[in-house]
Structure formats: C-alpha cells, structure tokens
Amino acid sequence: MTEKLHAPVIDWFDSHARDLPWRRPEAGPWGVMVSEFMLQQTPVSRVLPVYEQWLARWPRPADLAKEPPGEAVRAWGRLGYPRRALRLHGAAVAITERHGGDVPTDHAQLLALPGIGEYTAAAVASFAYGQRHPVLDTNVRRVFARAVTGVRYPPNATTAAERRLARELLPDEDGTAARWAAASMELGALVCTAKNEECHRCPIAAQCAWRLAGKPEHEGPPRRGQTYAGTDRQVRGKLLAVLRDAHVPVPQSALDRVWPEPVQRARALDGLVTDGLVEPLPGGMYRLPLG
C-alpha cells in the first residue's frame, strides 16, 4: 500500500500546491527555517505578511543575530506564542557563531540548534535540503491516521507508533521523500482537514482506511480545544503589545491599564519576565529584552 500512496499524493501536490514564498528557490534554507518557526500553531494567512517583513529586514541569520532579541519579539507582532521569536533569534545567533552564518545541512546539527526540536529539524532538512526524513506535523499525522490507521484523528501527542509509521511510509529516494513530506502536509492542510474534509478531492480516497470503514467517529480522548479569551495568553498578548509599540521603557502604570484584574495581570507579567520576553528595570519600568 505504501508505494500506492506516494504517486497520487505527489501528483496531486504538483498540480495543487499553493505558491508560498518559502517554497520558492529564492527563499533558501533560512527562509524555510523562518517559515517553520512562524507556522507552528499559526495559519498561513497570518504568517505571510510577517514572514515577508521579517525576510526583508533580516535576509540572513547574521542580520537577525546582530539585533537585540527584543527586536525579534517586536517584529513577531501578533503571531502568538512569542517565545518562538526568542528561539528563532537564538538559532540565528548559534548559526552565525557555529556555522559561519549558513543554516547547517546536517540533521544532527540542526537538532542541536537552540529552539529546534524533532519536527523543525526534519522539516528544514527535508524542505530546504531535499533530505529523507519523516516530517510529522498535525496535518501529516491526520492524513496518516485516516488513510492508513483508519481513525478520524491522531492522538493528542505524537506517539512512537506514529513515528514508526511515518518512517515506513517514507519513499526510499531522498528527493521523492522530501516531495512526499511536503505533499502529505499540503493534503492535510487543504483537503484532509480536521473538519469538513473534502474526500471527493482527495487523490487517495479510494484507498483511505477511514473512508472505507464508513468514517467512524473519534473514540479517543477529547481533542484539545484552543481557548484564548480571558486566558493568561490573552493578557500576555496585551502586555506585549504595549511594549512592542513603545521604543522606550514603559512604566508599570501603562501595563496596568491593559487588564483590569490585578492578580491575573501580575501573573501574566511575571510569566513574560520568566520566559525572557520582558525585561524589568529599576523604578518599575519594563522593556523588551536587549540581551
């Protein structure tokens, strides 16, 4: 079955893949890496404008490494999960110091960069350098769960069985494997979606174990929902927005105005400081981090 999946999915990708800037040759490995950081838990539509601005300002890792980490947080804007900005800045510094400013080609060296985990290392090695690695994001995991395992949704966290299946499904040839990784991801993003899947558009619908089983409902643990309103994440975002808009330190009073509940506001601010996203100064002043 494995080989029967490859050709139709890759052929579909060749005809239907979105023209995204990080897929163009001029993006280079750094453009691929930036996109992978930004796309984690964030839709393409929100990433596109920030990505373009980021690459225009910092076309190489060394350009970002020269800036204070707070500038990365500022440029991250409202993409959410701003610790990703700090991690990307840390990776840029390490690339500049350890690899002469070039994103390393070796998977182990990618994995050794700060802020880069199993998924991102595999994605950069695959998409930037055409290497053979299993690339397991949420979209790919959902495609594999349905097409091969016959269940509607994958587990909440990636399992050893999923990693084993992803390795088994990898084409043998490097370039084909890299294409398969991108194609299966795109299939999950555009057709085999979490809700309202479009099986009539799917190139492997006739082989899909879940469809052939009658699309049984999800029987595992409840899927995690993402709430935002009223959470500490929302408060953190409001506090960071004040600091991003200010190019000088701001007083505590300016931060106090963004959220009426003092205990939650203080907890959110403490969390930002602990995460290195906000730097406290004497006299009750705060700023984005300089170092």
Side-chain angles (χ1 to χ4, degrees):
M1 177 181 179
T2 297
E3 294 181 358
K4 293 181 179 178
L5 296 176
H6 295 155
V9 172
I10 292 172
D11 288 347
W12 172 87
F13 183 67
D14 289 343
S15 301
H16 297 89
R18 291 168 291 181
D19 178 21
L20 300 173
W22 44 85
R23 288 178 176 162
R24 299 170 192 158
E26 60 267 25
W30 174 238
V32 171
M33 178 176 284
V34 170
S35 76
E36 288 301 332
F37 272 80
M38 290 185 173
L39 287 164
Q40 293 166 23
Q41 298 178 286
T42 308
V44 166
S45 58
R46 290 181 58 203
V47 166
L48 282 169
V50 181
Y51 173 89
E52 299 280 12
Q53 293 163 11
W54 190 284
L55 268 295
R57 181 174 179 180
W58 298 308
R60 289 183 51 79
D63 301 316
L64 175 59
K66 288 186 291 189
E67 297 264 19
E71 285 305 300
V73 176
R74 193 188 313 279
W76 199 256
R78 298 184 178 277
L79 281 184
Y81 303 99
R83 276 178 290 183
R84 292 179 292 167
L86 288 183
R87 292 171 183 150
L88 184 50
H89 182 274
V93 171
I95 290 167
T96 304
E97 293 175 348
R98 302 177 196 170
H99 303 288
D102 294 322
V103 176
T105 61
D106 182 75
H107 179 264
Q109 290 179 332
L110 286 166
L111 199 55
L113 293 173
I116 290 194
E118 173 188 1
Y119 165 78
T120 305
V124 173
S126 179
F127 302 150
Y129 294 118
Q131 297 176 14
R132 183 180 182 271
H133 296 281
V135 182
L136 272 176
D137 81 335
T138 302
N139 290 315
V140 175
R141 293 174 62 223
R142 187 170 56 253
V143 169
F144 291 175
R146 291 176 180 173
V148 181
T149 312
V151 297
R152 184 174 190 180
Y153 297 122
N156 282 336
T158 306
T159 65
E162 287 181 284
R163 294 187 179 95
R164 185 166 56 250
L165 174 61
R167 289 193 297 270
E168 292 170 357
L169 290 174
L170 266 182
D172 293 331
E173 194 271 323
D174 281 9
T176 307
R179 199 72 177 161
W180 162 252
S184 53
M185 187 177 295
E186 190 80 334
L187 186 65
L190 299 184
V191 175
C192 193
T193 49
K195 298 179 180 179
N196 303 315
E197 65 279 349
E198 298 187 60
C199 298
H200 64 282
R201 295 178 52 211
C202 180
I204 53 172
Q207 306 172 56
C208 175
W210 180 59
R211 192 190 69 83
L212 293 173
K215 294 188 176 181
E217 287 299 319
H218 178 59
E219 294 182 352
R223 300 180 69 233
R224 292 185 299 238
Q226 290 195 350
T227 57
Y228 184 71
T231 63
D232 284 6
R233 271 191 62 217
Q234 184 183 22
V235 184
R236 285 164 61 102
K238 287 180 175 292
L239 294 169
L240 272 183
V242 174
L243 295 164
R244 279 199 311 270
D245 292 342
H247 291 268
V248 295
V250 302
Q252 177 80 52
S253 58
L255 299 176
D256 288 346
R257 287 194 290 270
V258 305
W259 196 256
E261 208 289 300
V263 174
Q264 188 179 26
R265 186 179 65 234
R267 183 172 65 239
L269 182 58
D270 287 346
L272 290 170
V273 171
T274 300
D275 290 342
L277 290 161
V278 172
E279 187 176 323
L281 301 172
M285 306 292 284
Y286 295 87
R287 68 183 178 194
L288 296 178
L290 291 182

